[in-house]
Amino acid sequence: MIFLAITPGGLKDALREAARSGATVWCGADAVSEEDFDALKVGGLTRFDYQLESRDPLVLADALDTVHQHHPGEVVWVEAAAAKR
């Protein structure tokens, strides 16, 4: 299973779940700075060098395509925004 984290909070949640399950986590540049990413030294974490938080459909499609190239056939869970009421 692969998690695609979009926000810093989503990354924190995904890393917590990955620690329990052994899942792989990918995230956008806006979920963690390059400096903090380098300091994390977490196995199974990959950081895109572009932002995902705008949730632009084309950008997310590109990110998912990249994830699928590296993890063919794996289920990818994408962080979603809570519905506004």
Side-chain angles (χ1 to χ4, degrees):
M1 178 182 329
I2 313 297
F3 290 104
L4 179 58
I6 296 175
T7 66
L11 177 59
K12 182 179 176 183
D13 292 344
L15 289 174
R16 185 174 45 248
E17 181 57 35
R20 285 187 281 234
S21 67
T24 299
V25 179
W26 287 62
C27 68
D30 42 355
V32 63
S33 70
E34 189 171 355
E35 295 79 23
D36 289 343
F37 173 77
D38 291 340
L40 279 174
K41 301 199 187 299
V42 174
L45 174 61
T46 303
R47 178 184 178 271
F48 287 105
D49 62 354
Y50 53 89
Q51 298 183 358
L52 300 175
E53 199 161 4
S54 70
R55 300 179 195 274
D56 179 291
L58 295 176
V59 173
L60 287 176
D62 185 52
L64 287 170
D65 183 55
T66 300
V67 171
H68 284 295
Q69 288 175 22
H70 289 271
H71 306 280
E74 291 284 333
V75 172
V76 179
W77 289 82
V78 179
E79 178 186 353
K84 294 184 181 185
R85 295 180 178 217

